[in-house]
Amino acid sequence: MPRLPAREVVGAIASGFTEFPTPLREEPADGPIGWPGYREARSAAEERTGEKESVVCGTAKIGDAEAVLIAFEFGFLGGSLGQRTGDRIEAAFAHARDARLPVVSLIATGGSRMQQGMRALMQLQRVARASALTRSMGIPRISVLRDPTTGGGWATLGAGADIVLALPEAQVGFAGSRVRPPDSPEAYTAEAHHEWGQVDAVVAPEDLGGALERWLRLLTARSSAAAPPPSALRATSLPATGWEAVQAARSPGRARAAEYLDAYFDWREDISGDRVGGADPGVACGFGWRDGRTIAYAAQCGTPTLPSGFRTAARLVRLASRLGIPVLTLVDTPGAANDAAAEQAGAGGAIAEMFAAVATASVPVTSLVIGEGGSGGALAFAAAGSTWVAPDAYFSVTSPEAAAAILKRPASEVPDIANQLHLRPQDLVDLGVARAVVSEKQG
């Protein structure tokens, strides 16, 4: 894939770009540490690219959304971060805070500028601080990983963004191509980082402008009203017994999370992964557009929830809370994954993260139990005092089968145990677990 100049990348996704007038600091001809030949290398880079530094910063519109853009020029000394790069990035974040504009970073960098030594590496502290200040003000940040995104550019602007998009086959990693081990080159790709839960989506270049426009629209639509609970998607009567409720929730014909999300939202965008190495295909998280506003969602999809699923959902709830966007959660799991791999991956800590994220959210969280509500792994997704239940769902302290095992009762008594657990939708309302059983939408 060709490495396009920064201004060409900006021109392909945005309109009305206005560059910030950032003055160039005075530097010795060969830089702060007197690197032989640095002056000539800078001059050659300026002549080759027409730029004065390795980043171009300004404001522009992506569709109808205005944003601050930080675009790296890889042709300028490999897009490396030096003192003047830090000046420009810091000024861009300051403008974003003053104007309360989202920040989009279009990254293509090999890392810190060797010819400036530690003075270059220290720019990462400046970038991290500027980014953190902007984050604390509830201003969204999106990064686009171009080829390559390595070193400090990945570890600050890239991995530190709220939403991380990547171009296909882009090199991504903390280690650059000249210093990493020669084996496993596939580990340093956008696709690998997406699989490992560190990138939200890999987006084709021709689709990037549209994807950014949708994300900017979603992330900047604050709302104080709670998300309404979805309507039931099947005409189902309430179960007569607990065992009937369990069988209805386990029926292959009952509606699943994807169907609920598609019916609820006009359109939506998913996030992916827990940012620490895992992605759970059994948990769907993201932001959707409904009736003119944004609602975040975290939905269990009917499988045992992995530690990465809980962490991804907690990330979603924390992000929505910081951006002022209400949350909808859909509860549907037989329980948290409890095998050895889940324990090694920190199942307890991950579930605790989700409990804490929901409990401390500064935005309203609405929950709907749409299928199986199995024990604490399901309860972590449910908001106290704001949970509804579908007529073909159940919620229980544990599954009837597990309860039989715990109580040392034979498997033949499982249906009776289901009845004794009071897990039917109407039982949950009577117990104060759920506010109401949702009905099918009329018309």
Side-chain angles (χ1 to χ4, degrees), residues 74-89:
F74 188 78
F76 193 102
L77 301 178
S80 57
L81 283 84
Q83 291 185 119
R84 291 174 175 175
T85 320
D87 293 342
R88 291 190 172 198
I89 295 174

Side-chain angles (χ1 to χ4, degrees), residues 184-208:
S184 303
E186 68 280 357
Y188 301 91
T189 63
E191 288 77 7
H193 284 76
H194 179 250
E195 180 183 347
W196 297 332
Q198 298 167 25
V199 168
D200 289 302
V202 178
V203 182
E206 61 271 20
D207 298 329
L208 181 59

